[in-house]
Amino acid sequence: METCYKAVKTDILKQLRLKSDRFGFEPEITCKLARKGCRIYETNISYSGRDYSEGKKIGWRDGVAAFWHMVRFRFFD
């Protein structure tokens, strides 16, 4: 779910009412696409992530927030 890139057909994307920004966007769009019955595919990409010395800012709190967003958009939206 937490990826660098997402590709969604325009007609499907226009049907979604998105609310989140920041890390909430990833679980929101994934949950809403899954609830619509859209097929989600994974594909390989070439990616070299940053480490903390290079400015990476994600931490364990972001994981907790992502979990909360998954629960929120799965059951309460």
Side-chain angles (χ1 to χ4, degrees), residues 3-73:
T3 62
C4 297
Y5 304 104
K6 296 213 180 288
V8 181
K9 290 183 178 181
T10 305
D11 58 324
I12 294 172
L13 189 60
K14 286 182 178 180
Q15 295 173 14
L16 300 178
R17 214 179 78 231
L18 300 173
K19 301 175 184 176
S20 297
D21 56 5
R22 297 188 40 89
F23 288 106
F25 172 78
E26 297 276 352
E28 179 181 11
I29 195 167
T30 303
C31 289
K32 288 185 176 183
L33 289 171
R35 285 190 0 203
K36 287 185 73 60
C38 297
R39 296 188 78 183
I40 298 173
Y41 297 94
E42 290 186 39
T43 186
N44 296 333
I45 62 168
S46 177
Y47 174 74
S48 178
R50 296 179 298 172
D51 63 19
Y52 290 101
S53 67
E54 297 172 313
K56 182 175 184 174
K57 296 175 180 73
I58 192 168
W60 67 269
R61 288 180 186 95
D62 299 306
V64 172
F67 179 75
W68 162 245
H69 287 294
M70 284 188 289
V71 170
R72 174 182 165 203
F73 292 114

